[in-house]
Amino acid sequence: MTATPLADGGDGHLPDGVEPRTFDGDQRLATRGEPVYGEPVQDGWRAWDPGRSKLGAMLGRGVETGFAGGDTVLYLGAASGTTVSHVADFAGPTYAVEFAPRPARDLVRAAESRPNLFPLLKDARKPATYAHVVESGVDVLFQDVATRGQGEVACRNRQFLADDGWLVATIKARSEDVTGPTEVTFGHVVETIESEYEVVTTERMDPLHEDHLAVVARPR
């Protein structure tokens, strides 16, 4: 997939450790680290495909996510490690929660070259099952869990987030309600999130990620 142009206005919204780099004539965001899914690599920088990563798409579009280099991160819905491996390239301790065993095996492989990436085969809807592992006061809670009750997942995991931290969530409308109007579905999820957070930004992720909404919020 061809990358979308990076947002104008400089790269001040990018965390330290994420840079625009040129790959085969196209400018792409990139991080330094071992490649995990065959992405282009140049001088130690691995391209970040916005079509495979909703966080990559957000950063490429200039969304201010609150991520900073060296942050402690709790990542919910890590899947096979495509995005969380990039996060671990620039962040500090990164706890990656994934419930499905098959992608979790790939996640473990992605973590082998990243000593700061900690895979957890757990259910993000049940934070009590990993509360003994994840430190409190994380800087960023990133949520990419494609399940019904996405707002509730964000609220249940609020306990791990520092009071001055950031929630960055990607809401998949069809996982929440298969038949309902997309905007109505987004509204219901955001309303739930607002019970624990103050929403700073919302942005649709089309066309790279159809029927997805990016939500950036701060704890109340």
Side-chain angles (χ1 to χ4, degrees):
M1 177 178 292
T2 301
T4 54
L6 300 183
D8 294 332
D11 58 1
H13 67 286
L14 297 177
D16 291 340
V18 181
E19 293 185 8
R21 310 287 293 190
T22 300
F23 296 86
D24 298 324
D26 291 328
Q27 193 177 57
R28 308 268 293 276
L29 294 184
T31 61
R32 279 191 174 277
E34 291 293 323
V36 298
Y37 53 87
E39 69 272 24
V41 178
Q42 187 177 82
D43 298 326
W45 291 87
R46 49 191 292 248
W48 196 342
D49 186 347
R52 298 187 62 170
S53 169
K54 290 177 277 293
L55 177 58
M58 292 170 67
L59 293 173
R61 293 168 66 153
V63 176
E64 176 54 71
T65 62
F67 271 98
D71 276 347
T72 300
V73 178
L74 173 57
Y75 192 114
L76 307 178
S80 58
T82 300
T83 297
V84 76
S85 64
H86 282 290
V87 171
D89 285 347
F90 67 82
T94 303
Y95 301 94
V97 176
E98 174 52 46
F99 181 63
R102 182 171 180 178
R105 288 196 293 270
D106 294 330
L107 174 62
V108 169
R109 283 194 289 270
E112 289 175 353
S113 61
R114 294 171 173 85
N116 63 319
L117 178 56
F118 306 104
L120 300 172
L121 182 59
K122 300 292 184 180
D123 186 343
R125 295 169 297 183
K126 301 176 180 179
T129 62
Y130 47 88
H132 63 293
V133 177
V134 179
E135 60 190 276
S136 61
V138 303
D139 299 301
V140 180
L141 170 61
F142 185 82
Q143 178 176 321
D144 188 16
V145 178
T147 185
R148 191 175 181 88
Q150 293 164 88
E152 288 86 349
V153 171
C155 292
R156 291 175 188 173
N157 284 273
R158 161 67 180 89
Q159 61 183 291
F160 300 109
L161 189 60
D163 290 339
D164 60 349
W166 295 81
L167 167 71
V168 184
T170 60
I171 308 304
K172 185 177 181 180
R174 293 295 167 253
S175 293
E176 196 71 30
D177 188 338
V178 175
T179 60
T182 299
E183 290 300 329
V184 173
T185 300
F186 287 150
H188 289 159
V189 177
V190 169
E191 184 178 7
T192 300
I193 290 173
E194 287 178 329
S195 66
E196 293 283 347
Y197 301 88
E198 180 180 352
V199 173
V200 177
T201 302
T202 62
E203 183 168 336
R204 288 289 297 262
M205 299 300 293
D206 307 271
L208 285 178
H209 302 280
E210 290 190 16
D211 297 328
H212 281 76
L213 181 74
V215 178
V216 180
R218 307 298 296 269
R220 289 191 180 279

